[in-house]
Structure formats: C-alpha cells, structure tokens
Amino acid sequence: MKLQKATYCALYSVLELARDPEVQLSATDIAEKYNISANHLAKVLRDLGRAGLVESVRGAGGGYRFSGNLKRTTLYDVIHLFEDVGGENERNRDAQADTDIGNALNLVLTEIDEIAIATLGSVTIGTLLKTMRWRTEREQREAQNA
C-alpha cells in the first residue's frame, strides 16, 4: 500500500503526540524530527484537529497534543482521513469487470483491500505504541547480553 506524504505526516504526528499525551509539541518539533515540511505538517495537524485526534494549545509553550482515545483510535482512523482506501481500485476496476479475467482479478484485489482495511482497523494507536516500547526494550536487553 502506497500512502501519500500527508498520510505519513499524520501517522508520524499522531504516534509522536500519543507517545506522551501530556506533552505538547510544536509542528516545527515534529517536522524537524521526521524531516518533513513544517508548513505541510501544519495543514495536516489542522485536519487531525478537526477529526478530534489532536488539539492545539495556544500561548507560550503551546503546540499540539494527542486528544484521541489510545485504545479506540486505529491506524485506519488516521489513514482514512487522507486516503481513499479501497475506493481507487474499485473505480479503476469497473471498466474491465465484464470479462471473466476482469471479474477474477477484481475479486482478488477487492479481498486484498478488505484485508488491508481490516488489519489497519484492528491496530490501535495504543497497541502500536506498546509494540514499539516492547521491541525497544527487547533490543536493549539483547544489546546488554551481547
């Protein structure tokens, strides 16, 4: 699955902010860490704010913080804001669907889209962050034992 730049910006931002929901980060802080445009990221953060996933904190020391639900917000929830997951393939397939090969291919591609959506919808932000922490801790233990 190929994602747009805005979608990656959104995922990086949500995960970075959700890592510690009490901490506020500026768009510049996030942009510098992930080597992305601060202007582009500000637009993405606005969209995430409208969706209720981040909130803007004004004033000195302001920035953005995660305001979604770690246990309920999924990767699909974020991706779906910026991508037409599954929809593009449906439109491209319509013209060839009247042939036996077109029908067979469409069935397989539709199933792949459905699996991708189900997988993205089953991984919460909280679960992904726990997995990241677990892997980091395991790598540190392995490095100490080596």
Side-chain angles (χ1 to χ4, degrees):
M1 172 181 288
K2 183 172 167 76
L3 300 176
Q4 297 177 54
K5 186 181 275 189
T7 308
Y8 279 110
C9 290
L11 289 167
Y12 294 145
S13 298
V14 166
L15 290 164
E16 189 66 40
L17 294 168
R19 185 180 286 195
D20 187 352
E22 300 302 315
V23 172
Q24 301 167 134
L25 296 173
S26 70
T28 304
D29 292 336
I30 298 168
E32 287 176 0
K33 181 169 186 172
Y34 294 97
N35 196 28
I36 53 182
S37 162
N39 289 332
H40 187 64
L41 181 60
K43 294 174 189 173
V44 168
L45 287 165
R46 251 192 328 269
D47 290 341
L48 291 171
R50 286 187 200 116
L53 296 176
V54 301
E55 65 182 357
S56 175
V57 180
R58 300 205 181 272
Y64 294 89
R65 68 176 164 222
F66 183 72
S67 60
N69 184 326
L70 286 172
K71 294 180 180 180
R72 298 190 118 193
T73 305
T74 66
L75 294 177
Y76 181 77
D77 293 331
V78 177
I79 292 170
H80 187 62
L81 295 171
F82 300 92
E83 303 282 342
D84 183 17
V85 181
E88 181 180 323
N89 287 337
E90 290 298 324
R91 283 190 300 278
N92 290 339
R93 290 184 214 143
D94 288 345
Q96 296 80 18
D98 291 337
T99 66
D100 57 342
I101 291 175
N103 284 324
L105 185 57
N106 285 343
L107 286 172
V108 171
L109 294 175
T110 298
E111 185 174 345
I112 290 169
D113 287 343
E114 290 169 355
I115 291 168
I117 291 168
T119 302
L120 294 168
S122 69
V123 180
T124 67
I125 299 301
T127 300
L128 186 56
L129 290 171
K130 283 180 189 175
T131 301
M132 289 169 40
R133 282 191 295 271
W134 177 79
R135 283 189 175 177
T136 301
E137 291 168 2
R138 187 182 74 189
E139 289 170 1
Q140 288 171 350
R141 282 192 307 271
E142 288 173 356
Q144 289 172 351
N145 294 333

